[in-house]
Amino acid sequence: MERCKLAYHANCWGELGGSAVGVTSITQLSYRTFGDMRRAFADIAAAGYEGVELFDGNLLDFSTADMRALLSDNGLSLVAAYAGGNFIFDDILPEELARVTRAAERAAELGAPHLVVGGGAKRFDGTREADFHKLAAALDRVGEIASAHGLRGHYHPHLSTIVEGPEEVAKIFGLTGIDFCPDTAHLAAAGGDPAQLIRDHASRISYVHLKGLQCEPFAFTPLDRGDVPTDGIIAALREIGFAGWICAELDAWTDPLEGARASMTYLKSADLKKD
């Protein structure tokens, strides 16, 4: 893990949501954190991280020049843009892919190596077998968009989508060629063993999301606490020879800087660059 670098997601510096206009115009729907990205970048840098991941909405709020200056002022690299979609409804898929393309274009302009998407809608009347195939085909399109812009495309299994636990993870990555971005807390919350899933899908993993999980009451936590030991996950990453960006994150935390620092303290103690 000699080349391992540490990033942090800027999603913790405000309420999480989406663009309201997307309710009536799918092509304008994006993820966003309703918070001050300038403060987020300053805090992430102060906590010792080298890179930052952004939701597509927050990324596109800034011009390329302004975002480049913000990154430079804080000594950060843009590591990834995160977008999402339903990805199973034929009529709106072109609109969703247009949104992904806009995020990919901006990320590429800023030198980011990764594009991450989540999604795969759950229908009100239950998931159909065809939904997995539609999602897989859409993810292959996302992978093509990423590649066309010099990025590496990833799918992020997520609670509330049709790909949550180990069986669904195995199913979808048997149907699509896109890379797997494991989010250790989401995988654990869905009943999976994050360390084993990393081993099982080692050849598909080139970017990782790390966060802690508290089961009761349900909450995501910094890496130094919670009910899912991060040590075993780090051991699995070492075992597969992972060398790349690892992005720590918290969806919400009362003091975002304190949360970022707590995870960094853990990561330093784990000595991620140790062979």
Side-chain angles (χ1 to χ4, degrees):
M1 298 176 69
E2 292 180 354
R3 297 186 301 280
C4 186
K5 295 182 180 181
L6 302 178
Y8 204 80
H9 203 301
N11 62 352
C12 195
W13 277 261
E15 296 294 323
L16 306 186
S19 305
V21 67
V23 174
T24 52
S25 298
I26 291 293
T27 192
Q28 298 302 321
L29 182 60
S30 61
Y31 279 120
R32 64 177 56 252
T33 295
F34 295 99
D36 183 351
M37 291 299 99
R38 291 178 174 83
R39 178 193 166 198
F41 278 38
D43 285 354
I44 289 167
Y49 296 90
E50 302 172 73
V52 61
E53 179 177 321
L54 280 173
F55 285 140
D56 53 346
N58 295 108
L59 177 61
L60 294 168
D61 281 344
F62 292 81
S63 69
T64 302
D66 286 347
M67 178 55 68
R68 186 174 287 120
L70 185 57
L71 290 163
S72 177
D73 289 347
N74 290 281
L76 295 171
S77 298
L78 180 66
V79 175
Y82 188 104
N86 292 273
F87 293 139
I88 66 168
F89 302 118
D90 294 340
D91 285 350
I92 65 170
L93 182 60
E95 309 298 323
E96 294 179 324
L97 294 176
R99 290 196 279 101
V100 172
T101 299
R102 286 198 295 274
E105 289 172 346
R106 184 59 54 82
E109 289 171 350
L110 292 161
H114 300 298
L115 174 70
V116 184
V117 298
K122 286 187 173 181
R123 299 175 186 268
F124 79 96
D125 58 352
T127 300
R128 306 168 189 173
E129 176 64 24
D131 292 344
F132 289 99
H133 295 269
K134 287 178 179 291
L135 173 59
L139 293 176
D140 283 339
R141 295 280 301 278
V142 171
E144 292 167 2
I145 290 167
S147 180
H149 290 86
L151 306 170
R152 194 147 186 169
H154 307 261
Y155 177 58
H156 176 304
H158 200 288
L159 296 174
S160 81
T161 73
I162 64 173
V163 181
E164 296 180 331
E167 291 183 6
E168 293 89 358
V169 169
K171 186 181 188 71
I172 199 63
F173 287 106
L175 296 171
T176 177
I178 201 168
D179 275 12
F180 172 25
C181 175
D183 181 305
T184 55
H186 278 271
L187 293 172
D193 177 345
Q196 189 57 49
L197 285 165
I198 286 169
R199 294 185 183 96
D200 291 345
H201 300 277
S203 65
R204 304 290 287 275
I205 297 173
S206 55
Y207 182 53
V208 175
H209 279 190
L210 280 183
K211 62 176 174 270
L213 172 69
Q214 173 182 289
C215 296
E216 294 292 340
F218 181 90
F220 296 126
T221 71
L223 299 174
D224 62 345
R225 66 202 76 171
D227 300 312
V228 181
T230 308
D231 290 356
I233 295 167
I234 298 298
L237 290 171
R238 283 206 183 94
E239 184 180 317
I240 71 170
F242 180 83
W245 283 100
I246 292 176
C247 182
E249 65 165 324
L250 276 172
D251 286 1
W253 201 250
T254 302
D255 183 342
L257 176 56
E258 184 273 332
R261 281 180 166 155
S263 287
M264 176 56 77
T265 297
Y266 169 82
L267 291 166
K268 285 180 176 178
S269 71
D271 193 6
L272 284 173
K273 296 186 180 182
K274 180 179 178 181
D275 290 333

